[in-house]
């Protein structure tokens, strides 16, 4: 979706700084300046909401044009204001009567009400996956907004993410027989429905880990008899080392990192890496700050994510030394709104000593030549059947 910045919005953003913002900078001598920007900004947003509401009433079956205008303007406002001012704008939006119209959309309304106690729950994502449709009792304008939201960048990337995860699951099963796989914050495990390996029973063990009991119950029903085991627990229990997993061929987290601070995300990345078997693969995903609908999400949906650039995603593996991984890369989903961190653990290769010539040198693959009369003599004695001498072993 393209983002349009109209002349009105840009003109308001170029207005003089407000007394409120100057005060935040500690310049108390200037606090008598008239709060031009916020007053004009408030009027602009109120006028925008009035126009959108009028458009909805005039064309209840075609919410798209008004939604595009609203999302574009709100994104512009968010980009040009401080977090404190943006919080005030969000409160203004929710207090406006048009907010009730937006909440007639079951997707927007569900996210705002948070029936499971948190934003972005598995039931909400089922709308984006196309699993759940708008109820039959949904109003015409609510249904029109719903269909508009299902085609936005966030929805497209959620569906793309699910297909990528399914592909990675299948790749793991193709290269590692009967692999062990761990999904952290699994939700309804919708990517599992796209996995051929899981459907064909080629996964040795698949652990679905989540703190939401309703999500785990759904996974148990949906994947009964397919080798998926549900485990209840929180990320906090992993970070506190109250729960631990190890020896997995694939460990991944789909939407979890969108809610983690950088400090927590770095620590969890290190711990997830330690859960891998040699040659195992770690995959985590995070939305980038590219969504055109971010302003709408944070106001009328009360859905706030922690967005990360590619550079910020690269930092999440900073606690993993370079000699521990075989590959460490980033890639984007197809709509280019989600960044994936993809790290493969090095496989442990058992050194094999080989004699080279008749001298005192012998070779350990991957290491420099070593010299030593005593060690060489001990090795020769062992080769001739003499008793082993532990003191002569290489350190």
């Amino acid at each position: 979706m393209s983002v349009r910045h109209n002349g009105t919005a840009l003109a308001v953003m170029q207005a003089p700084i407000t007394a409120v913002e100057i005060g935040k900078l500690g310049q108390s001598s200037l606090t008598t300046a008239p709060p031009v920007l916020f007053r004009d900004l408030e009027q602009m947003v109120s006028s925008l909401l009035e126009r959108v509401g009028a458009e909805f009433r005039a064309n209840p079956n075609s919410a798209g044009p008004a939604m595009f205008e609203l999302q574009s303007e709100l994104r512009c406002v968010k980009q040009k204001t401080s977090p404190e001012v943006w919080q005030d704008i969000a409160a203004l939006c929710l207090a406006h009567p048009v907010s009730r119209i937006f909440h007639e959309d079951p997707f927007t309304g569900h996210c705002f009400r948070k029936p499971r106690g948190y934003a972005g729950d598995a039931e909400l994502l089922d709308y984006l996956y196309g699993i759940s449709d708008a109820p039959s009792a949904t109003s015409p304008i609510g249904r029109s907004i719903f269909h508009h939201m299902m085609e936005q960048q966030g929805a497209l990337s959620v569906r793309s993410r699910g297909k990528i995860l399914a592909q990675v699951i299948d790749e793991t099963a193709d290269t590692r027989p009967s692999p062990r796989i761990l999904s952290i914050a699994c939700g309804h495990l919708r990517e599992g429905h796209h996995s051929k390996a899981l459907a064909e029973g080629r996964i040795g063990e698949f652990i679905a880990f989540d703190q939401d009991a309703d999500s785990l119950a759904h996974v148990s029903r949906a994947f009964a008899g397919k080798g998926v085991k549900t485990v209840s627990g929180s990320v906090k229990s992993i970070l506190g080392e109250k729960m631990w997993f190890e020896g997995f061929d694939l460990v991944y987290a789909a939407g979890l990192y969108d809610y983690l601070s950088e400090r927590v995300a770095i620590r969890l990345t290190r711990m997830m890496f330690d859960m891998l078997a040699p040659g195992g693969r770690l995959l985590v995903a995070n939305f980038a700050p590219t969504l055109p609908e971010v302003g709408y999400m944070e106001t009328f949906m009360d859905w706030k994510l922690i967005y990360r650039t590619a550079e910020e995603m690269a930092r999440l593996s900073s606690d993993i030394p370079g000699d521990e991984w075989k590959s460490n890369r980033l890639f984007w989903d197809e709509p280019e709104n989600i960044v994936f961190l993809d790290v493969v653990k090095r496989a442990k290769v058992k050194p094999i000593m080989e004699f080279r010539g008749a001298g005192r040198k012998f070779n350990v693959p991957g290491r420099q030549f070593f010299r030593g009369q005593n060690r060489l003599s001990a090795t020769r004695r062992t080769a001739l059947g003499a008793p082993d001498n532990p003191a002569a072993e290489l350190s």
Side-chain angles (χ1 to χ4, degrees):
M1 177 200 304
S2 62
V3 179
R4 182 178 60 82
H5 301 280
N6 70 21
T8 304
L10 293 178
V12 171
M13 293 306 113
Q14 294 167 357
I17 196 166
T18 69
V20 175
E21 289 181 330
I22 291 173
K24 290 170 186 170
L25 297 176
Q27 301 178 33
S28 57
S29 61
L30 299 177
T31 54
T32 56
V36 177
L37 176 59
F38 186 76
R39 184 177 66 244
D40 287 356
L41 183 60
E42 185 178 25
Q43 291 175 354
M44 187 273 285
V45 172
S46 296
S47 177
L48 169 66
L49 298 179
E50 290 294 334
R51 291 199 309 274
V52 170
E55 183 66 23
F56 283 167
R57 289 186 290 272
N59 301 286
N61 294 311
S62 181
M67 288 294 293
F68 277 123
E69 180 184 10
L70 175 73
Q71 290 170 340
S72 174
E73 299 296 349
L74 288 180
R75 185 191 189 199
C76 180
V77 172
K78 175 178 168 61
Q79 290 176 333
K80 300 295 183 179
T81 58
S82 67
E84 293 81 6
V85 172
W86 173 243
Q87 186 175 357
D88 292 339
I89 294 300
L92 172 67
C93 290
L94 285 176
H96 195 279
V98 76
S99 65
R100 293 193 293 270
I101 299 179
F102 292 119
H103 293 160
E104 292 179 24
D105 161 28
F107 175 68
T108 301
H110 180 103
C111 189
F112 181 76
R113 291 189 298 271
K114 300 176 180 58
R116 292 195 181 182
Y118 59 96
D121 62 58
E123 285 186 338
L124 182 79
L125 296 185
D126 277 352
Y127 286 121
L128 299 178
Y129 282 123
I131 304 296
S132 301
D133 197 3
S136 58
T138 304
S139 67
I141 186 60
R143 186 175 296 276
S144 184
I145 295 173
F146 173 83
H147 289 306
H148 170 84
M149 293 303 297
M150 294 306 103
E151 296 302 322
Q152 298 312 291
Q153 290 294 303
L156 296 177
S157 282
V158 165
R159 294 194 285 272
S160 175
R161 182 181 66 190
K163 293 177 181 178
I164 289 171
L165 294 174
Q167 180 180 347
V168 171
I169 292 171
D170 290 346
E171 289 174 356
T172 303
D174 290 340
T175 56
R176 301 171 77 90
S178 300
R180 301 180 67 229
I181 297 176
L182 169 63
S183 173
I184 296 182
C186 65
H188 285 173
L189 199 66
R190 291 304 181 190
E191 62 272 13
H193 294 285
H194 297 284
S195 168
K196 293 181 180 179
L198 191 57
E200 295 168 357
R202 292 191 287 121
I203 307 298
E205 181 183 20
F206 199 122
I207 291 184
F209 179 86
D210 205 291
Q211 66 178 359
D212 191 319
D214 290 335
S215 290
L216 294 180
H218 180 95
V219 170
S220 295
R221 293 190 301 269
F223 295 94
K226 295 185 178 179
V228 177
K229 177 184 177 183
T230 60
V231 176
S232 178
S234 65
V235 172
K236 186 177 180 180
S237 65
I238 293 178
L239 294 171
E241 300 183 7
K242 296 179 181 178
M243 300 191 73
W244 185 250
F245 303 94
E246 61 183 4
F248 284 87
D249 300 292
L250 172 64
V251 177
Y252 71 89
L256 172 64
Y257 276 60
D258 294 316
Y259 305 93
L260 301 181
S261 68
E262 183 172 273
R263 182 180 65 85
V264 172
I266 290 175
R267 175 172 169 79
L268 182 62
T269 301
R270 171 75 243 195
M271 298 183 77
M272 290 171 65
F273 183 82
D274 290 339
M275 298 175 189
L276 296 172
R281 185 176 182 180
L282 166 67
L283 190 68
V284 297
N286 208 126
F287 268 100
T290 58
L291 291 181
E293 63 267 35
V294 60
Y296 178 83
M297 290 170 60
E298 294 191 2
T299 52
F300 296 103
M301 299 181 72
D302 191 27
W303 194 4
K304 302 176 180 67
L305 304 181
I306 296 176
Y307 300 92
R308 288 188 170 91
T309 63
E311 292 75 15
E312 290 168 332
M313 284 296 287
R315 289 203 298 265
L316 299 187
S317 62
S318 59
D319 276 2
I320 306 174
D323 60 357
E324 294 187 25
W325 49 260
K326 180 179 180 180
S327 64
N328 186 343
R329 70 182 185 118
L330 301 175
F331 66 92
W332 292 83
D333 71 315
E334 186 174 351
E336 299 186 357
N337 297 301
I338 294 179
V339 187
F340 287 83
L341 172 64
D342 185 2
V343 186
V344 176
K345 194 172 190 177
R346 290 184 66 184
K348 294 181 180 179
V349 180
K350 185 178 180 180
I352 302 175
M353 292 187 295
E354 298 177 292
F355 288 103
R356 298 296 186 187
R360 298 178 179 178
K361 296 181 179 180
F362 60 89
N363 181 46
V364 178
R367 300 193 180 187
Q368 297 293 327
F369 282 103
F370 292 86
R371 297 175 181 270
Q373 279 184 315
N374 295 336
R375 292 175 178 175
L376 182 58
S377 299
T379 305
R380 285 174 173 167
R381 287 198 302 272
T382 302
L384 294 173
D388 237 353
N389 182 3
E393 293 181 3
L394 290 174
S395 57

